[in-house]
Amino acid sequence: MLSVVVGPWRGAPVVLRNAEVLHDAASTMKMAVLAAVYRSGLDLEAAVPVVNRFTSAVGGSYGNAREWDSDPEPWQLLDAGPASSPASSPNMAEAPASAPLRWLAERMITHSSNLATNLCLAQVGRPAVAEAWRQANATRSSSPRGIEDFPARDAGVHNRVTALDLVRLLESLEPELLALLERNTWRVDLAAGLPPGTRIGFKNGWCPGVRHCAAVVHPEDSAPYALAVCYTGPLASGHDEIDPAAGLLARISARVWDRRHELAR
């Protein structure tokens, strides 16, 4: 299934292909967590203990798998504290290593850290993330569980998005958050289809069977435009970069770029 939405930035979409079909969210849901963190009123410089045990949306607990995470740095902090050892006692005097909430939110976006995402989600709570979707006027998308909350997934609790809601979420973000999206280091899929050096703020997500990306592109010679592509199918290998589905998204991005002057009209 391929879903595509294209339109002038904060304007009416001009391309709507399967725009409201639901897809597994993968890491695109991290934009909603980001919005929840920055709107929470929490001290972004506050130290957050780096642990790998989280409360499931259906009760009980779960943790992240290091080998499925694309960012090693939060795990290095985890290794530095007693919480990295399953045998550690909760009564140990030594506290886990910690990191500022702002840093965790940034790693969640710039390096797509799964561990940082769940640490941020634990700070703000799932209702705050639901409110971020509501404020974006999303009609079908939701993020009711954390990354790798498999007990919840097995119970039928799923993070799902549509291409149209991803554009709505992107357009609802504050300038500071849009600027953070421009620092995304995973410049594959939509970013790979643009001329080198093109300004783009985006968040992508991938896992086996899924490759998505939502972006705002700022050409130097025309007005900015929004583009979201969600793909679910066998082309998505789940690899970070060597992924046929990422190539598909890059080709779509290149075609939209070629017609960028028409979008403003």
Side-chain angles (χ1 to χ4, degrees):
M1 174 61 68
L2 180 66
S3 300
V4 182
V5 174
V6 184
W9 181 238
R10 295 200 168 101
V14 297
V15 175
L16 293 163
R17 174 192 171 101
N18 299 320
E20 298 192 79
V21 171
L22 286 168
H23 297 258
D24 185 289
S27 290
T28 59
M29 57 83 71
K30 294 172 182 176
M31 289 194 295
V33 178
L34 177 69
V37 168
Y38 274 76
R39 297 169 189 170
S40 67
L42 295 173
D43 180 3
L44 297 181
E45 307 308 325
V48 176
V50 177
V51 298
N52 187 24
R53 188 57 51 191
F54 308 101
T55 301
S56 170
V58 293
S61 63
Y62 71 99
N64 289 117
R66 185 190 300 252
E67 62 270 21
W68 294 348
D69 205 332
S70 57
D71 184 11
E73 290 206 15
W75 292 92
Q76 292 170 5
L77 289 174
L78 183 68
D79 292 340
S84 61
S85 171
S88 297
S89 166
N91 298 319
M92 291 180 67
E94 185 182 358
S98 62
L101 179 58
R102 185 190 303 276
W103 183 84
L104 292 169
E106 290 177 354
R107 300 300 295 194
M108 172 177 67
I109 297 300
T110 60
H111 292 72
S112 205
S113 169
N114 292 341
L115 182 58
T117 300
N118 284 338
L119 289 166
C120 289
L121 180 59
Q123 292 297 304
V124 298
R126 290 184 293 272
V129 179
E131 177 63 14
W133 283 112
R134 189 196 68 78
Q135 291 177 352
N137 295 316
T139 59
R140 303 200 69 197
S141 302
S142 62
S143 310
R145 64 172 176 85
I147 301 288
E148 298 173 46
D149 183 354
F150 296 135
R153 184 196 64 180
D154 294 344
V157 180
H158 300 290
N159 294 332
R160 288 182 172 149
V161 296
T162 70
L164 185 55
D165 282 343
L166 285 176
V167 169
R168 289 167 172 157
L169 178 61
L170 192 65
E171 294 184 337
S172 74
L173 297 180
E174 293 80 0
E176 180 182 1
L177 306 188
L178 293 171
L180 179 57
L181 294 179
E182 294 183 24
R183 293 166 47 197
N184 187 345
T185 60
W186 293 102
R187 306 190 75 82
V188 292
D189 45 65
L190 295 187
L194 302 174
T198 301
R199 181 184 169 198
I200 176 175
F202 65 107
K203 184 69 193 80
N204 34 21
W206 60 90
C207 61
V210 167
R211 171 67 69 163
H212 310 324
C213 191
V216 51
V217 182
H218 298 270
E220 291 185 354
D221 59 353
S222 63
Y225 62 87
L227 169 62
V229 182
C230 296
Y231 171 80
T232 300
L235 287 179
S237 66
H239 294 128
D240 294 340
E241 297 178 274
I242 306 173
D243 180 0
L248 171 64
L249 268 63
R251 292 192 295 274
I252 293 171
S253 181
R255 291 289 298 274
V256 174
W257 173 266
D258 288 343
R259 304 187 67 173
R260 64 192 179 280
H261 298 290
E262 300 176 32
L263 294 177
R265 299 197 296 270

